[in-house]
Amino acid sequence: MRRHEKEIIRGLSIFVLALVTAGCASASPSTAKTPGAPGSGAGTTATEAPGASANASVKVASLSIGDALVTPDGMTLYLLTSDPKGQSTCDNSCAAAWPPYTITGQPAAGQGVDASLLGTITRSDGSQQLTYAGHALYTFSADSAAGDVNGQGIQSYGGTWYVVGPDGQAITSAVNSSGTGGSY
């Protein structure tokens, strides 16, 4: 490369780094809660997602089993098939394993999310659990990184846990060999 081209690339790199740094500096600090004591209903709290609308509660990401709902930081969201529409039956030890996805304020749709399907329900501790197409949403304590789907297809607490698709339906496909399955 000629010197002029190198200087342009270096200048653009510095500019991009400055934009990323500025974006990180202005982002809201994480307000994530760890799962609380059994029965507390405490779970993860939504934070702002880069590239999504301000205060996005949920967005769509491409996971190993297809496009699915995730938290702003990329953690997979699940539904429990035995939950009645608009209700959560997951408390105590269930909520420790499957933290209810709670938010503060109004739910906000991120990239790929149908805002008309978002809602909340009030848990016994007064927290607001996010719902999508009437399904209460949860994370899974064994998912340690963004995009993990270790809870897919687990049968426990009276139903089966499935990742939620952007249409609000359970994604029932099995996870390839890297997934778990079984009971929790």
Side-chain angles (χ1 to χ4, degrees), residues 2 20 38 68 75 90 102 110 119 128 135 137 140-141:
R2 294 189 292 208
V20 170
M75 299 307 290
C90 184
T102 60
Q128 296 295 304
H135 299 288
L137 299 179
F140 183 44
S141 62

Side-chain angles (χ1 to χ4, degrees), residues 48-135:
E48 186 173 338
S53 63
N55 301 316
S57 304
V58 63
K59 63 182 181 176
V60 173
S62 181
L63 305 180
S64 62
I65 60 173
D67 288 348
L69 298 184
V70 297
T71 66
D73 59 356
M75 299 307 290
T76 304
L77 291 168
Y78 298 87
L79 62 79
L80 176 60
T81 58
S82 61
D83 273 349
K85 289 273 186 170
Q87 295 181 21
S88 170
T89 59
C90 184
D91 286 310
N92 303 317
S93 63
C94 177
W98 299 91
Y101 184 54
T102 60
I103 64 169
T104 55
Q106 293 296 317
Q111 181 177 345
V113 175
D114 182 346
S116 70
L117 298 179
L118 285 172
T120 60
I121 55 175
T122 303
R123 295 187 57 79
S124 60
D125 66 355
S127 64
Q128 296 295 304
Q129 184 173 358
L130 191 66
T131 63
Y132 195 72
H135 299 288

